[in-house]
Each structure stands twice: as structure tokens, then as C-alpha cells.
Amino acid sequence: MAVGAYGTIRSADVSPADVEILYHYVSDRTANVTPTLTKLDSTAILTPVYHNSDTGGVANKEILGGLYNLKLQSGQFSELGIYTLHLRPKQVRTTIMDCGVLASLPSVRGLVIDIGNVPTDDQGKFTPQGLVGYRIEYIAKDGSYQKVPNFYRLVTSSFYCVPVTANLSNSTDKAVRYQYTDSSSNFIFLTLTPSSSPSNRASVIPFIGEPGQTIILSNTFFNPTTVEIEMVEHDASTLAYALYGDQTKAISPGIYTIYDKDKNIYKQYNLYEIKDEYNDTLYEVREERTSIDETLNLDNITG
């Protein structure tokens, strides 16, 4: 008997258009506020990384799965504090037009979706076999508008369909059934799993939804992830300037200057002393300057 190692984890090569990015901001970790979520345009800030001549794929044509560049706009992330980004598969909300069966195969149950009720930007996904693998979650019809927790179905097929009227001897069966069509249609028939009764309990029919019920369709191309970004005034590099960088002190004007790694002026401070006239206490003050004295460039001083 051969022994091998197997895995099911694969790097995602999802399109940025199939990703939703939400974020919220708090000024600090102790802030007791209700986060307000904002949606970002994933197609504008998320770009995939492509293969090059050293990675084995077709250079600048084939996506290198799992690697993406996230370029955030400085105008939206300008405040100091903590930004929490949530990246998840894009969700499409629509309603179930009907829960029907196929005219030629009455044992096949599925959901019928009116493509006209789908948001315009997402209608392109509702094509033959375009929704295979998508997850369907349900909004409760009890008026609570809550998503049914920990309950979902998976799409196994999707094809255009048209309604047909069947002559049935049993008046309890639905007269309207559906059949697949090769031409474009306003309706699409989704088969789900599980949707058939188990062999040991034929009378138990799995729930797949109700007409008029709101559902959420989302792709399963990648797992949701959360990224935390903390915007701070100083990082390790700027702190190193103050601790280990070049510094000068102009005694006469009382100007203390700190330089960066390229010997450019990073910060300047006024140095002076103040004496308290009441208790004769002498204070040494270092005050940040708002205007930089460019004559104190390090090259000018050391040259």
C-alpha cells in the first residue's frame, strides 16, 4: 500500500472584482465606539501579482496565485489610529423567484432566479455554469432580517431556463415547471447540494429556500481575511534618527537640529532657558520649530 501526502489548500487567483473590502477606524485601542464600516473599491486598490521569467509562468500574463498588492489611498487613511480591513468574497443579494423542478426530471429541485432582480454589476455572473461552487445563505422571512446562522447550500449547476406548463393528474403538484434553454433567458435555474432526501429518510426534504426569500450568493474562491493597519506618527526609522542620527546644536541662536540618514534636516528645536521670577527656578526648554533654518544644513556646518 502506497503512502502519500495530500492537500486541498491552493493559492487564490481571484479577480479583484470578486473581492469586497470593508474597513473601520478607531483612534486608539481603548476607544469605546461602535465601528462604522466603509466599503472600498477593490478594483482600484487591489492588483494581482503576475508571473515573470523566473517563476515558471507566462510573464505578465498568468496570475501568481496568492500574491496581491493592496494600495490604500492616503486621503482615506490619513488619521493616526487603527484601521481594520476585512477582505471577503463579494456578496450578491437577490430574491428567490421560485423553488421549482425540471419538467423532464421532476426529481431535480432547484432555485429559479430572475436575473433582472440581480444588481446590474453582478448580472454577468449569472450565466450557464457561472455560479458553480457559489455559496448560498438565507435571510429569515420572520421579519427579523437576520441571516440564518450556520446554514448554507452550495450551487452545483446553473443554466438558463424557461417556465413551461405541465398537465398533471395530481392537482397538488405545481403546474408550472422549468426546462433548460440554450438561448439567453431572464431566468436561471440553480441546483444545490444537498437538495434530495437521504436514502434512509425519503420523506425528509432538505430546505433550499422559499419563493420571495432573500438570499446571499458569494464565491468560494478564497477564505476571508482581516488585516489591521496602525497609522503612527513615528516608526522605527524616525525614532532611529533621534537616537542614532547626526545632530547639531547651534549655541548662539539656540537651535538643535536632527538629521535623517541622507543628512537632510528632519527636525529642529529652539533651545532656551526660562527663570521663574517667583521661586528662582531655572528651566531649560526645547521647543519644536515651525520654520526650518536651512542654513544649518549638515554639509554647510561640517564643510
Side-chain angles (χ1 to χ4, degrees), residues 258-299:
I258 299 174
Y259 305 88
D260 62 17
K261 60 183 180 63
D262 297 320
K263 301 187 183 303
N264 299 314
I265 296 176
Y266 175 66
K267 292 281 187 180
Q268 275 189 345
Y269 298 88
N270 291 322
L271 297 179
Y272 56 91
E273 295 178 345
I274 296 178
K275 185 175 182 180
D276 191 333
E277 60 179 327
Y278 298 104
N279 53 22
D280 292 332
T281 301
L282 186 65
Y283 297 96
E284 187 176 84
V285 180
R286 189 180 80 168
E287 182 181 53
E288 185 173 355
R289 290 174 60 91
T290 56
S291 60
I292 301 299
D293 187 345
E294 297 291 346
T295 62
L296 296 178
N297 186 286
L298 187 62
D299 290 336

Side-chain angles (χ1 to χ4, degrees), residues 39-297:
K39 186 176 181 179
L40 300 174
D41 182 3
S42 61
T43 60
I45 64 176
L46 191 67
T47 54
V49 176
Y50 291 89
H51 279 279
N52 57 39
S53 57
D54 296 327
T55 58
V58 180
N60 299 321
K61 297 291 185 179
E62 182 182 341
I63 293 177
L64 182 63
L67 291 179
Y68 289 80
N69 289 318
L70 182 62
K71 187 176 181 180
L72 303 177
Q73 303 296 325
S74 59
Q76 292 178 303
F77 295 83
S78 58
E79 298 292 332
L80 299 182
I82 301 165
Y83 295 86
T84 302
L85 278 72
H86 183 59
L87 291 82
R88 69 181 186 185
K90 186 175 183 180
Q91 295 186 351
V92 180
R93 291 178 180 249
T94 186
T95 56
I96 300 173
M97 190 190 80
D98 194 9
C99 298
V101 298
L102 294 178
S104 58
L105 294 170
S107 61
V108 178
R109 302 169 59 240
L111 302 182
V112 180
I113 304 297
D114 185 348
I115 301 177
N117 291 332
V118 176
T120 305
D121 294 340
D122 300 309
Q123 290 182 1
K125 300 180 178 65
F126 287 71
T127 58
Q129 297 298 76
L131 295 173
V132 174
Y134 271 61
R135 182 178 63 246
I136 293 183
E137 298 174 282
Y138 301 85
I139 301 299
K141 291 189 68 177
D142 57 4
S144 64
Y145 302 101
Q146 298 293 317
K147 185 176 71 173
V148 179
N150 304 317
F151 182 83
Y152 64 92
R153 294 288 184 255
L154 294 177
V155 178
T156 56
S157 72
S158 62
F159 293 101
Y160 290 137
C161 70
V162 292
V164 293
T165 302
N167 294 322
L168 303 175
S169 58
N170 188 345
S171 60
T172 61
D173 291 337
K174 296 185 65 173
V176 176
R177 299 192 174 191
Y178 298 88
Q179 66 180 18
Y180 292 142
T181 177
D182 292 330
S183 59
S184 180
S185 172
N186 290 331
F187 307 126
I188 194 163
F189 191 94
L190 307 180
T191 59
L192 312 178
T193 182
S195 62
S196 59
S197 305
S199 59
N200 59 342
R201 196 74 183 273
S203 61
V204 178
I205 301 176
F207 177 82
I208 62 172
E210 300 177 12
Q213 186 171 16
T214 301
I215 58 174
I216 304 171
L217 294 97
S218 56
N219 65 71
T220 54
F221 303 150
F222 69 102
N223 293 324
T225 185
T226 301
V227 179
E228 183 180 274
I229 300 174
E230 185 170 3
M231 303 295 288
V232 296
E233 186 175 359
H234 296 284
D235 58 16
S237 297
T238 59
L239 292 175
Y241 299 157
L243 292 174
Y244 311 114
D246 296 322
Q247 303 175 6
T248 62
K249 184 186 292 184
I251 303 300
S252 297
I255 299 177
Y256 174 56
T257 307
I258 299 174
Y259 305 88
D260 62 17
K261 60 183 180 63
D262 297 320
K263 301 187 183 303
N264 299 314
I265 296 176
Y266 175 66
K267 292 281 187 180
Q268 275 189 345
Y269 298 88
N270 291 322
L271 297 179
Y272 56 91
E273 295 178 345
I274 296 178
K275 185 175 182 180
D276 191 333
E277 60 179 327
Y278 298 104
N279 53 22
D280 292 332
T281 301
L282 186 65
Y283 297 96
E284 187 176 84
V285 180
R286 189 180 80 168
E287 182 181 53
E288 185 173 355
R289 290 174 60 91
T290 56
S291 60
I292 301 299
D293 187 345
E294 297 291 346
T295 62
L296 296 178
N297 186 286

Side-chain angles (χ1 to χ4, degrees), residues 5-57:
Y6 300 88
T8 58
I9 298 176
R10 59 177 292 274
S11 299
D13 49 9
V14 62
S15 167
D18 290 325
V19 181
E20 279 186 347
I21 303 178
L22 309 174
Y23 84 93
H24 71 81
Y25 163 80
V26 291
S27 57
D28 58 72
R29 298 187 186 278
T30 61
N32 186 19
V33 296
T34 301
T36 300
L37 291 172
T38 302
K39 186 176 181 179
L40 300 174
D41 182 3
S42 61
T43 60
I45 64 176
L46 191 67
T47 54
V49 176
Y50 291 89
H51 279 279
N52 57 39
S53 57
D54 296 327
T55 58

